[in-house]
Amino acid sequence: MTGGTFQEYDKHSARIFSPTAGFVKYNLQAEPAFDRVERGWAEEQLRAERRKNMRLGIAERLEVTLARVQAMHASLRVTAAAEEADAALADARARYEGELADAREWNATCEARTREEWDSASAGVRARNQARLDAAAAAYEGAHSAWEAAFADAHAAWQAEVADLEAQRTQAQAALKS
């Protein structure tokens, strides 16, 4: 009766036109909300184009009308949305860069203030430590000078004993030879 053109209705699938593959099945249940809005716009435009063609008496193949609607969709909806998205991205980047510069400036200010506070708080400690180091160095130098003087005296006394022992040995050897 239908000549083999009968199709069972399925509310979750439809056929959409693709310029490369013709009409292909499309799952409406898995369609995102944004795509549903865009598909609704494209379908409304297609109906308007078909009504206009009928009113003007233009006999145009469906594939040609569909291709024209796709081109209209790309130029009117997709390009505008992409430009809006690019503008929003540029605005977000500019805000991010501004906030990043503010954060870096705040961090530098905090770092400088913290360094100044630490320097002022540790100045007394550094002065006390330096005084202790200076006192320890002076004590070391004094002790080392005293040690050197004692060593020089002890070395001189040892040298004198060595000389006396050498003289005694020489006398003892002379006495043995004679």
Side-chain angles (χ1 to χ4, degrees):
M1 185 156 150
T2 60
T5 60
F6 173 75
Q7 294 182 2
E8 185 176 338
Y9 173 72
D10 181 7
K11 65 179 180 179
H12 299 302
S13 69
R15 293 186 326 146
I16 61 169
F17 178 75
S18 169
T20 55
F23 286 96
V24 293
K25 279 194 171 190
Y26 184 70
N27 186 1
L28 294 173
Q29 204 169 16
E31 181 179 46
F34 176 76
D35 289 349
R36 189 173 302 117
V37 169
E38 294 302 310
R39 183 176 51 79
W41 183 89
E43 288 175 356
E44 184 59 37
Q45 283 301 118
L46 178 62
R47 283 191 213 89
E49 287 294 312
R50 298 281 298 213
R51 281 193 302 270
K52 181 185 82 171
N53 285 351
M54 281 190 241
R55 189 179 71 243
L56 297 175
I58 298 172
E60 185 176 51
R61 294 182 50 211
L62 180 62
E63 292 84 4
V64 175
T65 308
L66 284 171
R68 204 157 32 87
V69 168
Q70 282 180 339
M72 284 172 48
H73 181 261
S75 65
L76 296 177
R77 301 280 287 204
V78 175
T79 305
E83 288 172 356
E84 284 178 20
D86 289 344
L89 180 63
D91 184 44
R93 277 198 180 127
R95 278 196 323 272
Y96 168 75
E97 291 297 330
E99 291 173 6
L100 184 63
D102 291 344
R104 285 185 175 149
E105 181 181 339
W106 172 252
N107 286 343
T109 303
C110 288
E111 181 184 5
R113 187 177 61 237
T114 303
R115 285 189 188 278
E116 289 172 6
E117 289 172 0
W118 184 84
D119 285 343
S120 66
S122 64
V125 174
R126 280 197 310 271
R128 280 195 311 271
N129 287 347
Q130 190 61 46
R132 286 181 181 168
L133 286 173
D134 293 344
Y140 169 77
E141 289 298 327
H144 188 67
S145 297
W147 176 83
E148 282 181 342
F151 176 77
D153 293 342
H155 189 262
W158 178 76
Q159 289 288 342
E161 270 187 56
V162 168
D164 284 345
L165 288 174
E166 189 64 35
Q168 289 174 7
R169 188 173 74 92
T170 317
Q171 288 173 357
Q173 282 179 346
L176 283 178
K177 286 188 185 178
S178 51

